Amino acid sequence: MPLAESPQWRQKATNFFSSSSFKLKQAGQSAGDNIADVAGKVGSVVKSRWAVFQESRQRQPPPGETVQERFISAAATTGVLLRKGISETKEKVAVGKVKVEEAAKKTADKSKTILNNIERWQKGVASTDVFGVPIEATVQREQSGKAVPLVLVRCADYLVISGLSNEYLFKSEGEKKVLQQLVSLYNEDSGSSLPDGVNPIDVAALIKCYLASIPEPLTTFSLYDELRDARVSIADLRNILKKLPNVNYMTLEFVTALLLRVSRKSSLNKMDSRSLAVEFAPLIMWQQGDSGTDLRNHLRFTLKAPPKIVDTTSNTTEWDLLDEDDVDASSQIPLDDASPPDYSSIEVIQSLIEHHNAIFTDANETVWR
């Protein structure tokens, strides 16, 4: 299911591309009237490509062409045209060309960043990221032979070997800085191994962060009501889960197999199946249109890098800061802010843990050596 681009980024992109022509022309005029026309032409390229990009997003693709291919093509063509515009500027401008070249290069760099981000939100095919990307896109790109994202495989293997006895595993939050470093590691190379000596609490928290980041829950939006209604019936749960896409089904089996292993050591880690279900239900099962439970929003906030420090003494403008994250530290959502728990979803996940082997009969239960 394609991702819709972020409304905040879409507005930033529209504002940026709409003003690019003016910015470039203004730079040309400040350098000399004889090069204003050249600068204007480069700016016009940017505006026209943004218009084409928006049109291609709304148009139905011809047979054999996917939405993602149109977006990637639009981004690539934009880069070529911008480079051509900069090259022509270098050839034709004799006076004040440095100012125009800088403005044109800045435009090209910013447009590339924006287009890359929109492509990533659409499907994730143009990015190496695994966090925030649809799970089926990640598995398809990794081509590991497993129907489970490698980041989950690496984390689960690590915990089974060294971390199942840690107290309050999957309940303790983990260290934010470490989590951000691990997210960066797996976004750059999803097949990476975990660093030596990493705390199992941080590894467990990384699993939760991953599940919180994907745009659709493992149980999918379409099966939400069916699963809630079937929460007390093992047979019904088994039959409903067979409707899931294979990647979702196998990943759900993998995660709940791990939670079953954790629950069997509850005398040591103090996390029985009910406690684990409370932690994972908001990350595995939620309704379409749900703006996010406190836990899911909190984990998403954890993944954000700290805001960059802006030097207010410089001549930096809003145009220069277009691709900043605009993170507001006050936006963190406390976990004790009382949105009511979805008890039906908790019961579903608890059943999947406690009756894992009876429900996932044809999945060849995940076994760790």
Side-chain angles (χ1 to χ4, degrees), residues 105-157:
K105 184 178 184 300
K106 186 177 294 185
T107 300
D109 291 342
K110 299 295 182 184
S111 64
K112 180 180 177 182
T113 298
I114 292 169
L115 293 173
N116 283 344
N117 274 285
I118 293 175
E119 289 164 14
R120 179 167 49 194
W121 284 314
Q122 283 297 319
K123 185 64 176 176
V125 296
S127 168
T128 60
D129 286 7
V130 295
F131 285 79
V133 174
I135 189 170
E136 67 274 13
T138 296
V139 170
Q140 182 179 8
R141 186 176 60 234
E142 290 175 340
Q143 295 184 337
S144 66
K146 295 180 179 291
V148 179
L150 289 177
V151 61
L152 295 181
V153 175
R154 298 287 187 266
C155 290
D157 287 349

Side-chain angles (χ1 to χ4, degrees), residues 119 166 255:
E119 289 164 14
N166 284 68
V255 171

Side-chain angles (χ1 to χ4, degrees), residues 220-231:
T220 71
F221 294 130
S222 61
L223 296 183
Y224 176 82
D225 290 328
E226 288 186 66
L227 288 170
R228 282 187 50 162
D229 294 342
R231 60 189 181 275

Side-chain angles (χ1 to χ4, degrees), residues 25 54 72 78 94 107 113 145 155 178 215 238 244-245 252 257 276 291 317 327 330-331 337 343 353 361 369:
K25 194 167 185 178
Q54 288 180 310
I72 294 171
T78 299
T107 300
T113 298
C155 290
V178 173
R238 182 192 306 122
L244 286 173
L252 182 60
L276 291 167
S291 60
T317 65
V327 176
S330 65
S331 66
D337 190 15
Y343 290 109
I353 297 171
T361 54
R369 289 176 295 180

Side-chain angles (χ1 to χ4, degrees), residues 17-180:
F17 281 101
S18 297
S19 65
S20 294
S21 177
F22 174 75
K23 294 284 185 180
L24 286 165
K25 194 167 185 178
Q26 187 180 56
Q29 288 172 340
S30 67
D33 293 337
N34 61 325
I35 60 171
D37 290 341
V38 177
K41 288 179 181 178
V42 178
S44 297
V45 169
V46 178
K47 286 186 68 177
S48 66
R49 292 314 300 165
W50 177 237
V52 170
F53 188 84
Q54 288 180 310
E55 181 182 353
S56 71
R57 175 177 165 272
Q58 298 171 353
R59 221 173 3 97
Q60 287 294 325
E65 182 183 12
T66 66
V67 174
Q68 292 73 35
E69 287 169 345
R70 290 209 315 273
F71 275 84
I72 294 171
S73 175
T77 307
T78 299
V80 171
L81 288 174
L82 285 169
R83 286 193 295 272
K84 182 180 177 183
I86 295 171
S87 176
E88 290 176 354
T89 301
K90 290 181 179 179
E91 293 174 2
K92 297 178 181 179
V93 174
V95 180
K97 72 173 184 178
V98 173
K99 284 189 177 181
V100 178
E101 286 181 13
E102 288 177 351
K105 184 178 184 300
K106 186 177 294 185
T107 300
D109 291 342
K110 299 295 182 184
S111 64
K112 180 180 177 182
T113 298
I114 292 169
L115 293 173
N116 283 344
N117 274 285
I118 293 175
E119 289 164 14
R120 179 167 49 194
W121 284 314
Q122 283 297 319
K123 185 64 176 176
V125 296
S127 168
T128 60
D129 286 7
V130 295
F131 285 79
V133 174
I135 189 170
E136 67 274 13
T138 296
V139 170
Q140 182 179 8
R141 186 176 60 234
E142 290 175 340
Q143 295 184 337
S144 66
K146 295 180 179 291
V148 179
L150 289 177
V151 61
L152 295 181
V153 175
R154 298 287 187 266
C155 290
D157 287 349
Y158 186 90
L159 290 177
V160 168
I161 293 171
S162 62
L164 293 185
S165 299
N166 284 68
E167 282 193 0
Y168 301 112
L169 191 69
F170 288 116
K171 186 173 184 178
S172 300
E173 291 187 23
E175 187 177 339
K176 181 177 178 179
K177 184 177 180 180
V178 173
L179 289 174
Q180 290 173 345

